[in-house]
Amino acid sequence: MPIFGKPKYTVVKVSRKKTMPEGLWTKCEDCGEIVYNKVLEENFRVCPKCQYHFILTASQRIALLTDGSSFKAFEDGLRSLDPLKFKGPKGSYPEKLKEDQILTNLEEAALCGRARLEGKKIVLGVTDSRFMMGSMGSVVGEKVTRAIECATAESLPLIIVSGSGGGARMQEGMLSLMQMVKTSAALAKHDDAKLPFISVLTNPTMAGVMASFASLGDVILAEPKALIGFTGPRVIEQTIHQRLPQGFQRSEFLLEHGFVDRVVHRKALKSMLAQLLDYFGGTKGKKS
Amino acid sequence: MAEIWLDFERPIVELERHIEELRIIGTQGEFEVKEEIERLEKKAVKLRKEVYTNLTPWQRVQLSRHPRRPYTLDYIKEITDEFVELHGDRYFGDDAAIVAGLGRMGGRSLIIIGHQKGRSTSEKVERNFGMPHPEGYRKALRVMQMAAKFGKPILSLVDTPGAYPGIGAEERGQAEAIARNLREISILPVPIIVVITGEGGSGGALAIAVGDRVFMMQYAIYSVISPEGCASILWRDAAKASEAAEALKLTARDLLKFGIIDGIIEEPVGGAHRNPGEAARRVKEVVLNSLEDLNPHSPEELVRRRIEKFSKMGVYKE
């Protein structure tokens, strides 16, 4: 075979992938294993081979953690506006909102309401990382704050499951940043009322969300291998001009450094929450 | 100090220098320069007006980062009669990017905290360019809680590109430190006055910017993300920072309109660095007036009003 020039034979590309019917199989984003969808669903959308936790939608998360159809979302009708008339390079902010509303079938990146968890009354907030990266603008901040205030007013335990790669939402500028104060201040009152708040961190929870309510749980749980931190890994690498160590900013790293109480496998999450609520007197909804 | 001027201020500075030279020549009495000086001074007034009434958001960003701009310790030196700096977070170390201490000002004693940038290269490194680690925020909270214990009001001076993005900062819980500050500062039972003096860089600024009265210097900025960061995410090009600065609505005027801040402190013509003493005097006046305003409120009332103020922030449809 000549070293230079054209090879004397023709390469015929043969796809090694067998054609798969749509929607029957899913490839694991971490180990590449092809998983039968039915198996994935039965396994709480966790890869049976490497235990990679697929990102859940808000409704999947609610179904995972609450009893039957006990979840009743607050009907607040809150909708985002475009106070900055934000001018980005492509598409307006309202267009992006509409796109993600269609994609996720959600009005906004957070869904909050009353629910029962193994019979115990709770207030539950969930962010959906598919909706503008789960970022917090005025509406997400207001929804989370109202959920906290509802829990305080009704003496209920509060659980917030965070999934936000975006932190504070750029398109609403400083109005977004101020939601960090709003949610944290509401938690100060909930805390003052001696009510429990359990923060559950999922992949990914970063920046403004992690630097406000998500970090303020009495107990903080994390799903395995979730990316959790303040500054995104890419920005850190660019700043310090070096590669980040393996496992940096993952749940296990936070556990090791003392910022997470427990790393909990998804299949054990509901029972762990129930167990914690038992300790805090969650059944009566009041300190006992 | 090295001759560092921004492009748009250079013609003004050069004109002022020229006038100054003529004055010196005038005092020597050899030439008649009075008319020429008058002409040039008129020109300077016009030029200043032209440049400073139509500053773009990006020019304001540049002014807020001006290397000659007064920093926290410069303000402290000007506005206090006495200042005793306190160090350390009691957990890990002392972060020189945040200063904290006890001060006396206008017959009152108070606690002052603030970000601190460096002037010379070695100072810049020592102060980590004003970008705190978690221990900086924890020191600030420790000293602020001490203020609450002794019933002292707090003045916080904000000027940072942001919380430091590094390995150690993440290992020691940058997010936790900021979150805890937000929760704890919102319920501190003493008056808190905040002045954004230069750069209000996102969460790294906010962590010490919760207060009963929040002011911005006229040419300060306060932003959810740096214009460069926003440009590199949305435009995929950090060079589009001026477009991002426009889009982010980060100027004092914009933020007053959105109810994020309570007032703007006018800077001397050309910016605080052109007359730091006067800038500091104005800060002091606003701080003392604000403390006077807040004086009648009980501690419970202060906290209630503070939380209510921040709870109202946000724009949405219901």
Side-chain angles (χ1 to χ4, degrees):
Chain A
M1 190 176 117
I3 298 174
F4 301 107
K6 281 185 184 171
K8 284 180 179 163
Y9 51 85
T10 323
V11 180
V12 179
K13 274 197 180 167
V14 181
S15 171
R16 288 182 59 210
K17 270 190 206 161
K18 287 176 195 154
T19 47
M20 294 186 299
E22 273 292 310
L24 265 183
W25 305 83
T26 302
K27 191 176 172 189
C28 174
E29 288 167 36
D30 202 33
C31 72
E33 179 80 354
I34 307 291
V35 191
Y36 191 31
N37 275 352
K38 207 170 148 242
V39 174
L40 195 58
E41 295 306 324
E42 282 165 2
N43 207 33
F44 307 92
R45 296 194 64 77
V46 174
C47 172
K49 192 180 170 205
C50 74
Q51 304 302 311
Y52 173 76
H53 285 50
F54 282 76
I55 287 173
L56 294 189
T57 67
S59 50
Q60 286 170 336
R61 178 63 66 183
I62 288 164
L64 174 79
L65 295 182
T66 60
D67 303 347
S69 56
S70 67
F71 180 80
K72 298 281 177 287
F74 298 126
E75 284 179 24
D76 49 32
L78 291 170
R79 291 296 188 104
S80 291
L81 295 171
D82 185 15
L84 271 58
K85 307 259 179 302
F86 191 87
K87 282 197 208 80
K90 46 182 176 192
S92 69
Y93 176 41
E95 280 163 13
K96 177 68 183 147
L97 285 168
K98 191 162 277 172
E99 236 173 68
D100 285 7
Q101 279 163 352
I102 293 164
L103 173 83
T104 61
N105 204 23
L106 287 170
E107 282 175 19
E108 252 296 343
L111 194 53
C112 305
R114 293 183 190 83
R116 282 185 184 270
L117 188 155
E118 293 196 358
K120 299 169 221 318
K121 275 166 107 179
I122 57 165
V123 171
L124 177 66
V126 174
T127 61
D128 191 312
S129 63
R130 297 169 308 155
F131 194 109
M132 294 201 75
M133 294 171 77
S135 61
M136 175 160 63
S138 298
V139 168
V140 171
E142 185 64 23
K143 276 178 177 283
V144 170
T145 302
R146 288 188 189 184
I148 299 166
E149 286 171 350
C150 169
T152 312
E154 298 176 15
S155 294
L156 290 173
L158 171 71
I159 297 173
I160 300 178
V161 186
S162 302
S164 167
R169 188 176 295 171
M170 276 185 292
Q171 289 83 350
E172 290 183 36
M174 285 299 291
L175 292 162
S176 299
L177 198 74
M178 291 303 156
Q179 306 309 312
M180 294 168 64
V181 185
K182 190 197 263 187
T183 54
S184 302
L187 281 173
K189 286 191 183 173
H190 188 260
D191 190 56
D192 194 43
K194 309 263 183 280
L195 295 163
F197 166 39
I198 303 170
S199 175
V200 181
L201 312 177
T202 71
N203 190 30
T205 302
M206 301 297 291
V209 168
M210 189 57 191
S212 60
F213 62 86
S215 276
L216 295 173
D218 295 298
V219 175
I220 302 178
L221 306 177
E223 287 195 337
K225 290 188 195 166
L227 182 71
I228 303 166
F230 182 63
T231 313
R234 208 163 44 101
V235 175
I236 298 178
E237 282 188 341
Q238 283 165 0
T239 309
I240 62 175
H241 305 292
Q242 63 187 79
R243 298 281 296 168
L244 293 169
Q246 191 72 27
F248 183 72
Q249 290 181 318
R250 296 289 164 178
S251 308
E252 298 72 17
F253 171 93
L254 273 94
L255 181 71
E256 189 191 328
H257 286 90
F259 292 99
V260 156
D261 286 285
R262 298 181 75 87
V263 175
V264 184
H265 193 285
R266 190 173 285 161
K267 68 179 177 214
L269 189 56
K270 187 176 181 181
S271 57
M272 172 56 69
L273 287 168
Q275 196 182 356
L276 290 170
L277 292 178
D278 265 343
Y279 279 103
F280 297 132
T283 26
K284 293 180 203 79
K286 186 82 189 169
K287 49 229 152 172
S288 57
Chain B
M1 195 194 308
E3 289 286 312
I4 319 160
W5 299 101
L6 302 171
D7 284 345
F8 59 87
E9 51 179 8
R10 193 163 292 128
I12 299 171
V13 173
E14 276 166 11
L15 188 58
E16 284 169 354
R17 267 206 199 133
H18 189 54
I19 295 170
E20 202 46 43
E21 280 164 16
L22 280 178
R23 278 221 175 90
I24 293 167
I25 291 168
T27 55
Q28 291 159 354
E30 280 179 49
F31 304 96
E32 189 47 62
V33 291
K34 202 167 153 245
E35 268 177 39
E36 178 65 1
I37 289 178
E38 272 174 18
R39 193 183 66 81
L40 289 178
E41 272 183 340
K42 266 188 201 148
K43 194 177 160 191
V45 169
K46 199 167 151 240
L47 191 58
R48 281 192 206 108
K49 204 174 161 199
E50 266 172 33
V51 171
Y52 291 106
T53 45
N54 295 309
L55 287 175
T56 64
W58 179 243
Q59 286 175 320
R60 286 168 185 266
V61 170
Q62 290 174 301
L63 271 178
S64 75
R65 297 172 177 168
H66 201 294
R68 302 168 76 102
R69 208 168 163 81
Y71 297 148
T72 291
L73 285 173
D74 302 316
Y75 278 109
I76 289 176
K77 203 172 152 200
E78 289 284 339
I79 65 178
T80 61
D81 309 315
E82 194 182 291
F83 181 69
V84 181
E85 193 180 342
L86 302 173
H87 294 274
D89 68 345
R90 301 288 191 270
Y91 297 111
F92 180 80
D94 183 44
D95 186 346
I98 286 192
V99 294
L102 314 161
R104 279 188 199 282
M105 179 174 88
R108 286 174 177 273
S109 60
L110 75 170
I111 292 285
I112 306 177
I113 59 169
H115 299 95
Q116 182 62 37
K117 292 178 176 174
R119 201 74 66 185
S120 66
T121 305
S122 64
E123 259 175 36
K124 280 180 181 152
V125 172
E126 186 202 331
R127 302 287 182 183
N128 200 32
F129 300 87
M131 293 187 281
H133 281 76
E135 45 275 20
Y137 296 118
R138 292 182 182 128
K139 169 170 70 174
L141 182 62
R142 173 177 81 84
V143 176
M144 289 171 95
Q145 286 177 330
M146 187 167 70
K149 176 176 173 182
F150 296 108
K152 304 288 182 200
I154 297 165
L155 168 62
S156 179
L157 301 172
V158 175
D159 184 16
T160 179
Y164 185 65
I167 291 180
E170 295 291 324
E171 285 174 338
R172 301 195 289 279
Q174 191 72 286
E176 193 275 346
I178 295 171
R180 179 177 299 271
N181 276 24
L182 299 181
R183 185 181 69 190
E184 298 305 321
I185 296 171
S186 69
I187 53 169
L188 280 182
V190 289
I192 307 170
I193 316 294
V194 178
V195 182
I196 320 288
T197 59
E199 282 181 279
S202 195
L206 187 65
I208 60 165
V210 175
D212 304 300
R213 295 283 188 278
V214 180
F215 298 95
M216 276 175 81
M217 298 301 286
Q218 187 180 4
Y219 301 127
I221 58 155
Y222 198 3
S223 185
V224 65
I225 184 170
S226 71
E228 290 87 345
C230 177
S232 71
I233 293 172
L234 290 184
W235 279 260
R236 305 232 161 252
D237 179 5
K240 300 281 186 206
S242 64
E243 272 102 318
E246 195 99 29
L248 285 165
K249 301 281 186 288
L250 42 64
T251 71
R253 220 181 308 161
D254 290 321
L255 297 174
L256 185 65
K257 201 179 76 189
F258 288 127
I260 304 287
I261 58 165
D262 302 296
I264 299 172
I265 303 176
E266 291 264 331
E267 295 187 28
V269 179
H273 61 292
R274 302 299 302 275
N275 190 345
E278 176 57 21
R281 198 193 59 74
R282 293 180 189 182
V283 168
K284 183 175 179 174
E285 189 184 318
V286 166
V287 172
L288 288 174
N289 287 343
S290 302
L291 289 177
E292 202 61 42
D293 283 352
L294 294 169
N295 213 22
H297 301 315
S298 67
E300 298 75 30
E301 182 72 1
L302 270 179
V303 172
R304 194 185 62 74
R305 281 170 181 255
R306 188 184 306 143
I307 293 179
E308 198 180 281
K309 175 174 115 116
F310 283 94
S311 297
K312 282 187 188 144
M313 291 184 190
V315 173
Y316 46 78
K317 185 169 71 179
E318 218 166 330

